[in-house]
Amino acid sequence: MLTWIWGSHMLGKYYMVDAAYTNMPGFMAPFRAARDTQHERAAKALFNRRHASVRNIIERSFGVLKKRFPILKGPMQNYRIATQNNIVLACCTLHNFMRDYAPNDEYFDEEAALGAQLDLQDGGNEIHEAQPIDMSQQGIQNWNENRRAIAVHMYVNRHGA
């Protein structure tokens, strides 16, 4: 499942995707099982837990948006693409406004309760210019190395988070 755009100072924007996708420039997938050292396995496991946590938060947010604005549940075939984009932006803007000025809303409360439940099970608005995506073999290798570097950084700094 293609989930969301996330970012880091190192890589800019990218989509957080599940294991069905290949890790490649623009698409950050979790690690698959592999034979590694104990520290490499631990770093990859930590990365995968945090990756799943971010994806869960995003999917819960999409759930709230779809409950509040049913037009987002299905195709908007009767509207031009520019109008569809504006509808999504308007819904997100209203959602964010309500988050600030009606924080005890039933949908937000439901999302928070679900999030707390998932956190117990798991145990734990910048704007960027468009980035060119390097799909060469070297670009893919660099992307995989970036993901590995993020995992190692998370692991080394895990006690500060």
Side-chain angles (χ1 to χ4, degrees):
M1 166 179 279
L2 182 68
T3 305
W4 186 251
I5 298 176
W6 186 250
S8 87
H9 67 284
M10 243 174 30
L11 302 175
K13 287 196 232 180
Y14 47 88
Y15 289 98
M16 299 292 284
V17 298
D18 65 19
Y21 284 80
T22 300
N23 190 65
M24 61 184 192
F27 297 86
M28 185 67 67
F31 286 98
R32 294 188 170 118
R35 293 180 182 221
D36 294 311
T37 68
Q38 180 181 356
H39 290 295
E40 289 169 331
R41 283 192 310 272
K44 290 177 179 181
L46 176 62
F47 176 91
N48 285 353
R49 281 193 306 277
R50 290 185 179 173
H51 184 280
S53 178
V54 167
R55 287 187 59 241
N56 287 336
I57 292 166
I58 292 162
E59 289 188 24
R60 286 195 315 271
S61 296
F62 281 151
V64 169
L65 279 166
K66 288 178 180 180
K67 286 177 185 175
R68 184 179 309 284
F69 304 107
I71 193 168
L72 299 176
K73 287 184 181 178
M76 293 185 253
Q77 297 169 345
N78 297 332
Y79 300 100
R80 290 181 298 202
I81 193 71
T83 302
Q84 292 178 37
N85 289 340
N86 288 334
I87 290 170
V88 172
L89 288 173
C91 291
C92 290
T93 301
L94 288 170
H95 171 85
N96 290 339
F97 179 84
M98 293 173 81
R99 168 96 50 212
D100 288 342
Y101 295 100
N104 295 324
D105 177 82
E106 67 179 295
Y107 295 123
F108 296 140
D109 291 344
E110 183 180 313
E111 175 192 15
L114 180 59
Q117 181 182 12
L118 289 173
D119 286 344
L120 288 175
Q121 291 173 356
D122 288 341
N125 292 328
E126 290 182 44
I127 298 175
H128 298 277
E129 292 183 29
Q131 297 173 281
I133 295 177
D134 181 1
M135 293 302 292
S136 68
Q137 188 62 34
Q138 184 62 47
I140 292 170
Q141 288 174 352
N142 290 344
W143 190 257
N144 287 333
E145 178 56 29
N146 286 335
R147 179 180 62 167
R148 190 201 64 73
I150 290 170
V152 168
H153 178 77
M154 284 179 180
Y155 182 72
V156 168
N157 295 294
R158 67 191 176 279
H159 298 294

